[in-house]
Amino acid sequence: MATTHRLDDSVVHYEWNNALAPRLEIDPGDTVVFRTRDAADYFYRRSSTHEDVLARGPFRGHPLTGPVRVRGAEPGDVLAVEVVAMRPA
């Protein structure tokens, strides 16, 4: 029976790197609900100004939630992923 998992955005990384330990391990057919950060990593607010944009400093990269390991998946396997819904915060 498929399970629904939740993965929050309390821990992120900024690179695709298969050496990172998975934050979650799932079975094929499971569902994962991801909470993700925006591309600016929560730097901007609705009240942000042009000066805030100029003061941001170097870009670290897009914050990524995960990684997730699928039990039984081997290097080189192709995984089918279905995006069921996407909602902005």
Side-chain angles (χ1 to χ4, degrees):
M1 183 154 136
T3 302
T4 298
H5 307 269
R6 297 191 181 283
L7 194 58
D8 66 25
D9 64 349
S10 62
V11 176
V12 296
H13 55 94
Y14 298 91
E15 62 182 336
W16 290 103
N17 183 342
N18 64 0
L20 294 171
R23 287 190 55 211
L24 179 65
E25 188 169 348
I26 66 170
D27 289 311
D30 284 359
T31 298
V32 181
V33 177
F34 291 91
R35 172 136 179 118
T36 60
R37 298 182 187 183
D38 64 54
D41 207 7
Y42 294 145
F43 182 82
Y44 301 111
R45 305 285 182 256
R46 289 189 184 273
S47 61
S48 291
T49 65
H50 177 73
E51 288 73 27
D52 294 327
V53 173
L54 296 176
R56 179 158 185 244
F59 183 66
R60 293 179 57 189
H62 187 85
L64 304 170
T65 302
V68 174
R69 182 181 187 283
V70 179
R71 287 184 191 93
E74 298 291 334
D77 285 354
V78 176
L79 303 179
V81 176
E82 179 184 358
V83 177
V84 176
M86 189 179 301
R87 290 181 296 235

